[in-house]
Amino acid sequence: MLVKEYRICMPLTVEEYKIGQLYMITKHSSEESEGGEGVEVVRNEQDVHPKHGPGQVTEKRIYLSSKLPSWVRTFVPRIFYVTEKAWNFYPYTLTEYSVSMLPKFSVCIETRFENNNGDNNNVFGDTPTPPESVKHLDILVDPIPDKHYKETEDLSHWVSAKTGRGPLVEGWRECTTPIMCSYKRVQCSFEVYGLQGRTEDFLHRNIQDILLVGHRQAVAWTDEWHGMNLEDVRKFERQTQEQTNLKLKSTQNNNMAAASIRPAFSRSISVTDELSLKKMGVKTLALSEPSTSTTPRSPVRLHSTPE
C-alpha cells in the first residue's frame, strides 16, 4: 500500500469552497459523461456521522472502458465501471474506490479543508505523514495533461468579476488572501505480485492530475457558483445528475443494442515469423522453405473467431 499526502491551496475560504466543491464535482462529472461513459449517481442522500455531524453520502459508478489499455479491455466486460463511495461531512470527507472484479484493488482518499496555506503538518490529528510522502501541488504552475488544458481555466489569466480575485502570479501561496488548503491523504493498494509497485505509482500519477484539474476548475468557475447557497447548489446537483444519468443510460442502451446485431468477434493478426506466433501462445507447424527462393516469406495471416 502506497500512502501520500497532497496539499492543494486555492484563493478561497473553506466556507466558500463548501459550495464550490459541490458545483465543480457536478459540472465536471457532466462534462466527462459522453459516449456511454462518465459518472452515474446511484445514491445521494443525507447522513449523520457520530463524530463529524450531518453530511451527505453518495455512491457513483464511473464508466471508463475506452480509457483502459487495449489488453485490459480484452478481459473486462463491455460496460466496465469503478464504484465510488463518498461521505461528505464537510470540512472532512472520505472517498473510497473499488472494482468488483479486482478485489485486491482499492483507493481511499481522506480529506480535510483548512484556512491556511498548507502548513499544518498533522491535519488529521493522528500520525503525521512523513515529509518525503507530502507533496504540495500548485494549481498555477504544476503541469497538467495537454488534453485537460483550457485557456479559460488558466489561472494566470483568470479574474473573478464577483470577487475581484485573480490572476494568480508565481509565489501566490505566500501572499494571497483569502487562502485555504485541501489536505488529501491518499492510500492506493493493488496487492498483485509483480504489478503492485508500478500500478500504485501509476494510480498516484493519475490522481495527482485529477486533483490539479479539479481544483483549477473550482477556482476558474468561481463566478458560476459564487453567491449560491447550499439549497441552490443541491438543486443544480440534482438536475444535472438526472440529465447525466439519462444521457448515460440512453447511450449505453443504444450501444448494447448495436452490439447484439454485430457478427461474432473476429480479428486479423499479422505476424512475420514463427517466434512471434510462439510468443502469442499459438502452436505452429514447421514450414519448409525452398532453398532456391530469394523472395522473402509473406507474413502468415491468422483469422480467429473465439468459440
Side-chain angles (χ1 to χ4, degrees):
M1 178 182 295
L2 185 57
V3 181
K4 291 186 179 182
E5 182 181 316
Y6 299 99
R7 301 180 187 178
I8 314 102
C9 291
M10 292 175 286
L12 304 169
T13 67
V14 170
E15 189 60 30
E16 288 173 332
Y17 191 58
K18 183 175 184 178
I19 304 299
Q21 180 197 40
L22 294 173
Y23 183 91
M24 176 270 292
I25 291 173
T26 301
K27 181 177 177 178
H28 180 84
S29 296
S30 178
E31 288 187 344
E32 292 294 306
S33 299
E34 59 182 2
E37 297 195 345
V39 182
E40 176 191 8
V41 179
V42 296
R43 181 187 178 197
N44 188 2
E45 57 193 42
Q46 294 181 350
D47 195 11
V48 178
H49 190 279
K51 177 180 178 182
H52 303 290
Q56 201 84 359
V57 58
T58 61
E59 182 174 343
K60 301 175 183 179
R61 292 176 180 174
I62 305 172
Y63 295 88
L64 39 58
S65 294
S66 72
K67 296 178 175 61
L68 298 173
S70 58
W71 64 271
V72 175
R73 293 201 298 270
T74 306
F75 303 101
V76 302
R78 183 177 297 276
I79 298 179
F80 170 80
Y81 62 85
V82 174
T83 297
E84 175 196 282
K85 293 183 179 179
W87 294 264
N88 187 347
F89 301 102
Y90 199 87
Y92 171 82
T93 67
L94 181 66
T95 308
E96 295 178 350
Y97 297 89
S98 61
V99 182
S100 59
M101 61 181 297
L102 296 174
K104 295 183 180 295
F105 166 89
S106 67
V107 175
C108 180
I109 303 177
E110 189 177 10
T111 307
R112 281 195 180 277
F113 305 101
E114 288 192 347
N115 285 314
N116 55 50
N117 67 350
D119 59 359
N120 187 341
N121 293 321
N122 191 16
V123 70
F124 296 102
D126 44 27
T127 303
T129 305
E132 63 272 18
S133 297
V134 175
K135 185 162 187 178
H136 293 263
L137 302 181
D138 190 329
I139 57 176
L140 174 65
V141 300
D142 283 352
I144 60 173
D146 290 342
K147 64 181 179 180
H148 292 305
Y149 177 82
K150 295 180 182 178
E151 187 174 356
T152 55
E153 296 169 6
D154 188 329
L155 301 181
S156 65
H157 306 308
W158 162 78
V159 176
S160 167
K162 286 186 176 180
T163 66
R165 300 169 198 167
L168 299 185
V169 297
E170 190 171 352
W172 68 274
R173 290 180 297 176
E174 304 304 322
C175 59
T176 297
T177 303
I179 191 167
M180 63 161 289
C181 184
S182 172
Y183 293 83
K184 292 185 175 289
R185 184 161 59 186
V186 181
Q187 302 178 29
C188 293
S189 178
F190 188 66
E191 298 176 0
V192 176
Y193 180 75
L195 296 175
Q196 182 171 1
R198 285 180 297 171
T199 302
E200 292 177 356
D201 284 338
F202 170 80
L203 289 170
H204 272 284
R205 288 196 301 272
N206 279 269
I207 289 169
Q208 179 174 311
D209 289 341
I210 292 169
L211 293 178
L212 280 168
V213 171
H215 288 77
R216 283 165 60 107
Q217 290 177 331
V219 175
W221 297 340
T222 296
D223 285 351
E224 297 180 28
W225 57 261
H226 202 276
M228 283 184 169
N229 57 32
L230 190 57
E231 183 180 348
D232 294 332
V233 77
R234 287 297 185 192
K235 180 179 179 181
F236 170 76
E237 185 181 53
R238 288 193 301 270
Q239 292 175 342
T240 306
Q241 287 173 356
E242 288 173 2
Q243 295 169 2
T244 302
N245 285 358
L246 286 173
K247 182 168 62 174
L248 269 175
K249 288 296 185 184
S250 176
T251 307
Q252 288 172 356
N253 289 339
N254 290 339
N255 290 345
M256 293 178 70
S260 67
I261 60 176
R262 291 175 186 166
F265 171 78
S266 64
R267 63 185 176 186
S268 296
I269 306 173
S270 295
V271 292
T272 56
D273 55 33
E274 187 174 353
L275 179 59
S276 298
L277 291 173
K278 288 181 178 179
K279 287 182 178 179
M280 298 169 62
V282 178
K283 294 182 179 180
T284 61
L285 297 176
L287 299 177
S288 60
E289 183 173 339
S291 57
T292 58
S293 174
T294 59
T295 304
R297 182 189 299 173
S298 299
V300 179
R301 185 171 294 274
L302 303 180
H303 298 279
S304 62
T305 303
E307 296 181 357

